[in-house]
Amino acid sequence: MQGKILKGIAGFYYVHVIGSGIYECKAKGIFRRQKQKPLTGDLVELAILNEEAKTGNIERIYPRKNELLRPAVANIDMALVMFAAASPQPNLNLLDRFLVFMQMQHIPSVICFNKMELLEEADRRRLALSYASSGIPVIFTSVQQGTGIRALKNILAEKTTAACGPSGVGKSSLINLLQPNAQMETGEISRKIERGKQTTRHTQLIHIENGSYIMDTPGFSSLFLPEIEKEELACYYPEFAPYASGCRFHGCSHISEPDCMVKQAVADGEVDFFRYGNYKQLYGELKERKKY
């Protein structure tokens, strides 16, 4: 029987099998000997020990398509980078950090601005236009009014998605709208291990429907990029690519060089001015980091 690990705590793994439910499993000793640890998101093969009690053993971990260290999770298909459209005002520099980080992991992103009811249509349009040339999809939702939830479900269909973003933007409330039984599912696992509130510190996937899963990650107020060379950063701004080949200098940083076609595209309004400003700030941070 195959399933997906929703959560792992204290040597127990809670494996969701579509159509059957959640099984509390132990991993075979061979994984320890091979120094392989099951992760949330792993697709596994399990042997059922007791169907009534929903217990089993993990017999095999299938090859992973990707793996994140923080949070420790495997097989993420997509990142839902979620910010409030207003109240609080979205920190677009932090948003760009999330986008760069996910691109570094080869995980495609979708930007979700929640609390759309707090913005006029013209303001929402301007916000979406900031990312139009990047090719990264933007969706607006309102948890309070239930707007945009069906469209979001379609985007999440048959994917394992990591919901990330700062605290207070409505990630958990959105997940509860996507899957009203989410609290029940979390409670079921908590009762099995009898740890109550302590379980909230652990990464957990929520099954939405069919092959759709979503993971709520802890809120972040800041995000430091992993070790990359400053020269690599432009690769993670896809809107630069159509113009970079026209720059006078090979390896142009798009900061201070003359005849830079990326800077010209910003001046012409073809690349978003604020996105470019974030790029310059991140580039400066990477440059300073290398000094020390």
Side-chain angles (χ1 to χ4, degrees), residues 8 10 26 40 63 65 69 75 98 100 105 140 147 151 186 193 199 230 245 254 262 265 286:
K26 295 283 284 184
T40 299
K65 65 183 292 183
L69 293 178
N75 302 317
F98 277 110
V100 170
Q105 316 301 319
F140 287 86
T147 310
T186 302
I193 59 175
T199 65
K230 63 184 184 299
S245 59
H254 318 306
V262 171
L286 293 174

Side-chain angles (χ1 to χ4, degrees), residues 173 218 229:
S173 297
E229 299 296 329

Side-chain angles (χ1 to χ4, degrees), residues 158-180:
E158 301 301 317
K159 296 182 182 73
T160 296
T161 301
C164 54
S167 300
V169 301
K171 294 194 303 297
S172 296
S173 297
L174 179 66
I175 289 172
N176 288 334
L177 268 185
L178 292 168
Q179 174 48 276

Side-chain angles (χ1 to χ4, degrees), residues 37-41 67-74 76 203-204 215:
K37 183 179 179 180
L39 292 178
T40 299
E67 178 181 337
L68 298 181
L69 293 178
R70 287 185 298 176
V73 63
I76 294 296
T203 301
Q204 178 168 334
M215 178 185 73

Side-chain angles (χ1 to χ4, degrees), residues 100-232:
V100 170
F101 178 78
M102 291 302 171
Q103 285 183 82
M104 290 175 67
Q105 316 301 319
H106 307 289
I107 297 173
S109 296
V110 170
I111 300 168
C112 176
F113 288 111
N114 190 37
K115 305 184 184 181
M116 62 178 287
E117 73 279 2
L118 301 180
L119 280 189
E120 298 293 333
E121 176 63 30
D123 294 323
R124 293 200 294 267
R125 204 159 41 240
R126 278 193 291 271
L127 196 51
L129 279 174
S130 298
Y131 295 89
S133 60
S134 73
I136 301 168
V138 176
I139 186 171
F140 287 86
T141 59
S142 170
V143 168
Q144 186 177 42
Q145 298 178 348
T147 310
I149 305 304
R150 182 173 296 179
L152 182 57
K153 264 194 173 183
N154 290 336
I155 291 172
L156 302 178
E158 301 301 317
K159 296 182 182 73
T160 296
T161 301
C164 54
S167 300
V169 301
K171 294 194 303 297
S172 296
S173 297
L174 179 66
I175 289 172
N176 288 334
L177 268 185
L178 292 168
Q179 174 48 276
N181 292 324
Q183 293 295 338
M184 186 189 310
E185 187 172 281
T186 302
E188 179 184 343
I189 294 174
S190 298
R191 284 193 299 275
K192 283 182 178 178
I193 59 175
E194 298 179 350
R195 293 201 175 197
K197 293 181 181 179
Q198 192 174 355
T199 65
T200 60
R201 296 190 302 201
H202 299 268
T203 301
Q204 178 168 334
L205 285 177
I206 299 293
H207 178 235
I208 301 174
E209 60 184 10
N210 301 322
S212 305
Y213 297 83
I214 192 164
M215 178 185 73
D216 187 9
T217 60
F220 293 94
S221 58
S222 63
L223 182 69
F224 291 96
L225 296 180
E227 286 293 324
I228 61 171
E229 299 296 329
K230 63 184 184 299
E231 292 81 9
E232 296 176 67

